[in-house]
Amino acid sequence: MTDRNRELSLALGSGGARGLAQIGVIRWLEKNSDYRIKSIAGSSMGALIGGIYAAGKLDLYEEWVSQLSKYDVVRLLDFAFSRSGLFSGERIMQKLKEMLGDINIEDLPITFTAVATDIESGREVWLNHGSLFEAIRASIAIPTVFTPVKRNGRLLVDGGLLNPVPIAPTLRDSTGMTIAVSLSGRSEEALEQKVAEFEQGENKQNSYRRAITQFIEGVQEKLGLSDEPAPEFDVFDIVSRSLESMQNSIARFRIAAYNPDHLIEIPVNACSMFEFYRAQEMIDLGYERADRLLQDIRRS
């Protein structure tokens, strides 16, 4: 096998906390294949994981995120409650800056592209030069949740809006293989049961969602909206379910159009968008799915 054929490209998808499963995929590749990851394209959480890996700091990030509790997640969500988003995202990015240091994409040892969306033009934007942190910050800016990012005169938000599985940026690569990770796989009944068991063992009064909901209820009270009947779904259910419905549909078209050599799908019901305190569970799931689907790489 030539050096070129031993290199591969990764397309890492968007899907919030489920994106942590992509750490498990990378770990499987490191342990079970002779392939070297030469190029990564990522949308949203895929950009975050891919950028951290490209910077050589995945070990540090994995250790940190695996220790997060629900309370830690709440503390990292810095409320902005501005017209452009509930959170600014600055605490999270500051943590990442402390962890990774400042680096430009062109200085990374592998090719990296973060996908974002220009909400003014409605076009997909590929960020492959300049500050790695700014590129990641733009790619993870979920509309109504995190505030948008101004970069080079453009207002950028989550790349998953237009390209939840960014295979296209890898088409120019000279690698021997492309592996895509979609976080929009079909729901699995076994995972439904697992999630139910997990939630039964949690103290819901101390959950991160309860803390956030209390904040929103306090704002509603100040605005004179506290007498309105409680909705069937809270704001985070609505945002996450709406984004997932849209991204699931787009992802199917993108995968069919670009047809990667291998596709790893993480079930959409593995966890919700904001359950980052389930990191180790998602990492293990990603490793297991890679092991199940990439056996031909191991044999070769």
Side-chain angles (χ1 to χ4, degrees):
M1 186 182 290
T2 65
D3 289 342
R4 176 182 175 278
N5 288 336
R6 290 183 184 275
E7 297 175 341
L8 63 84
S9 301
L10 282 180
L12 302 181
S14 63
R18 285 193 307 282
L20 295 168
Q22 295 172 130
I23 297 176
V25 173
I26 292 172
R27 294 308 189 200
W28 189 94
L29 289 168
E30 291 176 330
K31 183 176 181 181
N32 297 286
S33 78
D34 292 329
Y35 282 84
R36 182 168 65 91
I37 299 172
K38 178 67 174 177
S39 171
I40 295 178
S43 279
S44 196
M45 194 62 185
L48 177 61
I49 299 299
I52 288 172
Y53 174 77
K57 300 295 184 178
L58 190 60
D59 289 348
L60 186 60
Y61 178 79
E62 182 179 358
E63 180 181 0
W64 172 72
V65 76
S66 296
Q67 296 175 358
L68 289 179
S69 65
K70 287 184 175 183
Y71 178 67
D72 293 327
V73 174
V74 173
R75 291 179 60 195
L76 286 168
L77 294 174
D78 44 344
F79 292 104
F81 209 75
S82 67
R83 293 182 178 180
S84 57
L86 290 174
F87 311 107
S88 70
E90 294 308 315
R91 287 183 187 170
I92 295 173
M93 290 310 298
Q94 184 59 40
K95 180 64 180 179
L96 291 174
K97 286 181 181 179
E98 293 172 1
M99 186 183 300
L100 305 179
D102 196 15
I103 188 171
N104 288 326
I105 294 174
E106 52 267 36
D107 296 328
L108 296 172
I110 67 175
T111 304
F112 175 73
T113 302
V115 177
T117 300
D118 183 337
I119 60 172
E120 294 177 312
S121 69
R123 295 181 178 179
E124 181 179 333
V125 178
W126 295 359
L127 304 173
N128 49 28
H129 66 278
S131 169
L132 174 63
F133 293 107
E134 287 184 10
I136 292 173
R137 174 67 181 84
S139 189
I140 66 173
I142 303 171
T144 74
V145 178
F146 292 115
T147 52
V149 173
K150 271 280 189 184
R151 182 178 167 121
N152 297 329
R154 296 180 293 197
L155 193 62
L156 303 178
V157 295
D158 196 306
L161 294 179
L162 296 180
N163 196 348
V165 189
I167 303 168
T170 70
L171 296 179
R172 60 191 174 185
D173 296 340
S174 59
T175 56
M177 180 186 299
T178 297
I179 297 174
V181 183
S182 170
L183 307 177
S184 302
R186 294 182 182 276
S187 296
E188 295 181 8
E189 187 176 343
L191 287 175
E192 291 279 6
Q193 180 63 28
K194 219 173 164 185
V195 171
E197 292 173 356
F198 179 89
E199 290 179 347
Q200 286 174 3
E202 292 290 310
N203 183 343
K204 295 184 178 180
Q205 292 302 315
N206 293 326
S207 73
Y208 78 110
R209 291 179 62 156
R210 181 58 185 164
I212 294 170
T213 300
Q214 287 176 338
F215 169 82
I216 295 173
E217 288 173 351
V219 173
Q220 290 176 330
E221 184 176 355
K222 291 180 180 179
L223 296 176
L225 303 176
S226 57
D227 293 333
E228 292 187 357
E232 182 178 357
F233 299 110
D234 64 29
V235 64
F236 294 97
D237 281 323
I238 294 170
V239 170
S240 62
R241 293 187 187 203
S242 298
L243 287 174
E244 286 174 353
S245 295
M246 178 184 66
Q247 290 181 7
N248 293 350
S249 179
I250 296 174
R252 287 192 290 270
F253 285 107
R254 290 282 184 168
I255 293 167
Y258 296 108
N259 193 24
D261 297 297
H262 296 277
L263 173 65
I264 298 172
E265 294 186 288
I266 305 301
V268 71
N269 65 332
C271 78
S272 71
M273 184 178 292
F274 301 105
E275 291 180 326
F276 288 93
Y277 52 87
R278 297 175 61 189
Q280 191 58 57
E281 183 183 345
M282 291 301 102
I283 294 169
D284 292 343
L285 177 63
Y287 190 97
E288 181 269 324
R289 295 307 162 102
D291 188 63
R292 180 190 300 184
L293 297 171
L294 300 178
Q295 290 299 331
D296 56 336
I297 292 180
R298 173 184 281 170
R299 286 193 294 269
S300 65

